[in-house]
């Protein structure tokens, strides 16, 4: 992140349910498209991609994670 943040907030990846929380671990990336492609090759599935390039994926065990465009 531009100010060396270690945390950020954004809209939740869906709606809350009794079985699902609304927090999401996101990783800053200089190349989220390429990193998302590699994650898919390793078994992740894409949940959504925002117009700004942020990607939410689900790992093979079902955990959600995000890739956020790292601003320089």
């Amino acid at each position: 992140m531009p100010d060396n943040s270690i945390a950020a907030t954004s809209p939740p990846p869906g709606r809350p349910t009794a079985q699902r929380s609304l927090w999401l671990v996101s990783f800053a990336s200089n190349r989220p498209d390429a990193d998302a492609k590699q994650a898919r090759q390793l078994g992740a599935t894409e949940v959504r991609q925002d117009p700004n390039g942020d990607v939410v994926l689900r790992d093979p065990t079902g955990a959600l994670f995000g890739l956020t465009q790292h601003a320089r």
Side-chain angles (χ1 to χ4, degrees):
M1 306 312 294
D3 60 358
N4 294 319
S5 299
I6 59 169
T9 60
S10 64
R15 297 179 189 249
T17 67
Q19 295 81 28
R20 187 174 75 159
S21 64
L22 282 181
W23 61 275
L24 177 71
V25 174
S26 290
F27 301 96
S29 171
N30 290 327
R31 50 189 197 114
D33 288 336
D35 290 338
K37 180 179 179 180
Q38 182 177 6
R40 288 191 299 274
Q41 291 171 343
L42 294 170
T45 55
E46 189 169 308
V47 175
R48 76 161 196 244
Q49 183 166 11
D50 295 339
N52 62 359
D54 293 349
V55 183
V56 177
L57 299 119
R58 186 177 307 279
D59 78 9
T61 67
L64 290 172
F65 66 98
L67 297 172
T68 301
Q69 178 65 48
H70 184 275
R72 292 182 182 197

